[in-house]
Amino acid sequence: MEIQAVVAVARTGAVGRDGQVPWEYPEDFRQYKERVRGTPVVVGRSTFEMMDPIDDSENFVLTSDTTRTADHERVTFVNSRREAVERAAATGADTLSVIGGGGVYRTFLPFTDRAFVSELPEHLEGDADFPYLGAGWRVAERHSYDRFTLVEWVNEEPKPHSEL
Ligand SMILES: NC(=O)c1ccc[n+]([C@@H]2O[C@H](COP(=O)([O-])OP(=O)(O)OC[C@H]3O[C@@H](n4cnc5c(N)ncnc54)[C@H](OP(=O)(O)O)[C@@H]3O)[C@@H](O)[C@H]2O)c1
């Protein structure tokens, strides 16, 4: 199963502030929805608190709290990267989407095969970020949108899932 990260980033590297994404790019939101459609998603507990579950995906919410249970049939709380990946693989999916936030992007990054990074013309100083993908990553494609560019990165050497 391939792991893809889908993220929108300001010029500063910020992805959010005070638990929110403080911008609106409807075209980016549409491409993001389209890209994750039907794939299981893994999301951090903080981000999950601020969003509705994605209805046409299995939502795996990463938390260290082993007592959390969900009352939505497509939401499962998981306690490790490995559990998230194993449960996503058990759905039969060929792609798992990592949808943030900052902590979850970071913890999955070494295992992420592909990253779709929307580079937004914003100068936000945030409290959650996404790293610039340099050594070990190459740009596969650039997609131009009216107000931003989406860069598709490929990890040249992702860590094997046995090391999750
Ligand atoms: N621009 C974008 O594309 C985008 C996308 C999504 C989110 N965001 C933004 O990102 C910000 C939130 O990011 P964040 O870094 O503060 O929080 P986050 O990544 O959403 O969630 C962090 C939480 O996830 C859990 N977690 C992370 N790694 C774990 C691990 N290895 N094992 C168990 N649990 C783990 C912990 O939950 P517990 O504390 O419960 O243990 C941790 O506190 C918000 O501003 C949000 O709006 C931006």
Side-chain angles (χ1 to χ4, degrees), residues 43-46 49 60-69 76-80 83 104:
V43 60
R45 193 264 314 153
S46 307
E49 308 281 352
F60 295 105
V61 183
L62 196 54
T63 177
S64 56
D65 182 348
T66 55
T67 67
R68 286 288 296 262
T69 53
T76 307
F77 285 91
V78 293
N79 298 126
S80 66
E83 188 184 356
V104 167

Side-chain angles (χ1 to χ4, degrees), residues 84-104:
V85 170
E86 286 180 351
R87 283 178 177 261
T91 68
D94 47 23
T95 304
L96 168 65
S97 298
V98 179
I99 61 165
V104 167

Side-chain angles (χ1 to χ4, degrees), residues 124-144:
L124 173 79
E125 294 300 336
D127 53 19
D129 59 16
F130 188 83
Y132 183 74
L133 300 176
W137 290 77
R138 70 176 164 80
V139 174
E141 253 187 280
R142 286 177 193 277
H143 309 262
S144 289

Side-chain angles (χ1 to χ4, degrees), residues 7-17 21-23 25 28 117-126 128-132 148:
V7 59
V9 186
R11 291 194 195 291
T12 53
V15 297
R17 186 173 60 208
V21 179
W23 52 62
Y25 286 78
D28 185 46
V117 181
S118 295
E119 296 183 343
L120 308 181
E122 298 284 334
H123 296 275
L124 173 79
E125 294 300 336
D129 59 16
F130 188 83
Y132 183 74
F148 64 94

